[in-house]
Amino acid sequence: KKMDSIEPVQYGRTRNYVNGAVSYLSPYISRGVISTHQVLKSVFKKGYKISEIESFIKELCWRDYFQRVGQLKDLNTEIRQIQPAITNYQIPSQIINASTGITGVDIAIKQLYKNGYMHNHCRMYTASLVCNIAKSHWYHPAQWMYYYLLDGDWASNSCSWQWVAGANSSKRYYSNQENINKYTLTKQSATFLDASYEVIETMEIPVQLKTTEKIIFEVDLPFSTVTQINTELPTFIYNYYNLDPIWHQGEPGNRILLLEPDLFSNYPVSKQCIHFILALSKNIPGIQIYRGSYNEFVT
């Protein structure tokens, strides 16, 4: 139903606005319930030409491209170059508390906490504030955002934060108050971002962003529910990135949702994200949960 409701032409025209015609499909793509290929086929069935929906197709391509980058690069380190002008490896407290004073950003952060969603433009605004205005290194703040996003995709998240911070691009991304007002539908003035780009790029760290801290991310994994394995049947392993209910659909087999503590220790996610995947897993008949490593499971 969500794929059928996509309006790709309107998406291209309005996607930068917080009330634009975005698809809200990314949580299901990131969790492997549907694929970018399925989405593209669904759109093409409606008769659209590539030239009409180029912006929409590009976003699908970027998602796949980031996955390919993650196959070749260590996305926990700088992809192209060291992030310039770093003063700390933490995250501004005002970002965590949604109290930066930039209304469009603060609303977006509160929404992230509430429902695991943040509009893509707001992600860029937030990353720019953190990395280029507060001069924090991108990695820990990227962890913070990934922790809460239902569509958390470490490849996309890491590459995008590095792009904003100038570690995966030729220049850093900045946005001023006028731009934020336009796309978040706010009407602020007299903020530390209410200035020209030339001024913003050379400003000192505003007092609103000077206090920084390190977050300890907690992960609450459910206990195993495996009660029976039929060794005469194949075993299909699902995980945080693969919850496709039609994968090997109709084939007899053991179906296991593998939750590896080491993975979530390195890439922690919120309780809301765990609840989301558990809800999605209920679409897979007979699935059982195994909390532990793959090697432990197969032995």
Side-chain angles (χ1 to χ4, degrees):
K1 287 180 180 178
K2 284 183 178 288
M3 285 194 284
D4 287 343
S5 68
I6 295 172
E7 298 181 6
V9 176
Q10 279 296 100
Y11 173 89
R13 293 172 181 163
T14 66
R15 67 187 179 89
N16 290 339
Y17 294 87
V18 293
N19 65 344
V22 295
S23 70
Y24 297 104
L25 286 173
S26 57
Y28 305 99
I29 296 173
S30 295
R31 302 286 70 82
V33 175
I34 56 176
S35 69
T36 52
H37 187 232
Q38 284 176 286
V39 175
L40 188 62
K41 283 176 62 179
S42 175
V43 170
F44 279 152
K45 282 181 181 178
K46 298 179 180 180
Y48 291 108
K49 297 177 182 178
I50 291 177
S51 59
E52 295 178 299
I53 58 172
E54 186 175 333
S55 292
F56 185 79
I57 294 174
K58 279 183 177 179
E59 290 306 309
L60 295 177
C61 291
W62 275 117
R63 181 178 290 272
D64 283 3
Y65 169 73
F66 291 142
Q67 291 294 322
R68 304 293 82 77
V69 173
Q71 290 177 325
L72 298 174
K73 303 281 188 178
D74 178 1
L75 297 182
N76 296 328
T77 61
E78 279 73 6
I79 295 171
R80 292 179 59 178
Q81 60 212 14
I82 299 298
Q83 177 185 336
I86 301 166
T87 65
N88 68 87
Y89 288 79
Q90 300 184 325
I91 182 171
S93 300
Q94 292 83 355
I95 291 287
I96 299 171
N97 298 328
S99 59
T100 66
I102 307 300
T103 301
V105 172
D106 291 340
I107 290 173
I109 294 171
K110 291 174 183 176
Q111 184 180 39
L112 173 67
Y113 291 154
K114 182 179 180 180
N115 58 26
Y117 171 79
M118 182 182 279
H119 186 276
N120 188 59
H121 241 49
C122 293
R123 299 183 197 199
M124 294 165 59
Y125 296 150
T126 303
S128 182
L129 278 181
V130 171
C131 298
N132 303 330
I133 305 299
K135 296 179 172 40
S136 297
H137 186 266
W138 65 269
Y139 178 73
H140 188 59
Q143 281 187 306
W144 161 78
M145 186 173 284
Y146 175 84
Y147 181 79
Y148 289 102
L149 287 171
L150 293 186
D151 70 356
D153 175 331
W154 184 246
S156 176
N157 196 56
S158 171
C159 288
S160 297
W161 273 82
Q162 291 198 52
W163 180 83
V164 169
N168 185 30
S169 57
S170 58
K171 62 179 182 179
R172 291 177 283 177
Y173 170 81
Y174 289 91
S175 186
N176 64 10
Q177 189 64 59
E178 180 183 7
N179 183 276
I180 294 173
N181 282 345
K182 177 180 179 179
Y183 292 111
T184 65
L185 311 179
T186 53
K187 297 180 180 180
Q188 273 194 290
S189 60
T191 69
F192 60 84
L193 289 181
D194 194 8
S196 68
Y197 284 105
E198 290 77 15
V199 170
I200 289 173
E201 290 179 24
T202 58
M203 69 165 52
E204 296 294 319
I205 300 175
V207 64
Q208 294 93 329
L209 299 175
K210 278 193 172 182
T211 303
T212 63
E213 58 187 278
K214 195 86 168 179
I215 304 170
I216 298 175
F217 301 105
E218 297 182 355
V219 179
D220 186 13
L221 295 180
F223 292 105
S224 298
T225 62
V226 176
T227 58
Q228 184 176 6
I229 297 292
N230 187 338
T231 56
E232 296 181 358
L233 294 177
T235 297
F236 303 111
I237 303 291
Y238 300 79
N239 59 39
Y240 194 64
Y241 283 86
N242 172 29
L243 286 167
D244 182 355
I246 63 173
W247 182 56
H248 293 282
Q249 189 178 44
E251 296 180 35
N254 306 292
R255 300 183 186 275
I256 303 296
L257 172 54
L258 180 67
L259 301 178
E260 298 186 273
D262 284 351
L263 171 69
F264 290 101
S265 176
N266 292 324
Y267 302 96
V269 298
S270 68
K271 185 179 294 187
Q272 188 176 28
C273 292
I274 296 298
H275 288 169
F276 182 59
I277 65 167
L278 294 178
L280 291 175
S281 73
K282 292 178 180 178
N283 293 311
I284 303 168
I287 196 163
Q288 302 180 79
I289 297 170
Y290 184 81
R291 173 178 169 170
S293 72
Y294 175 79
N295 290 333
E296 288 171 342
F297 175 73
V298 296
T299 54

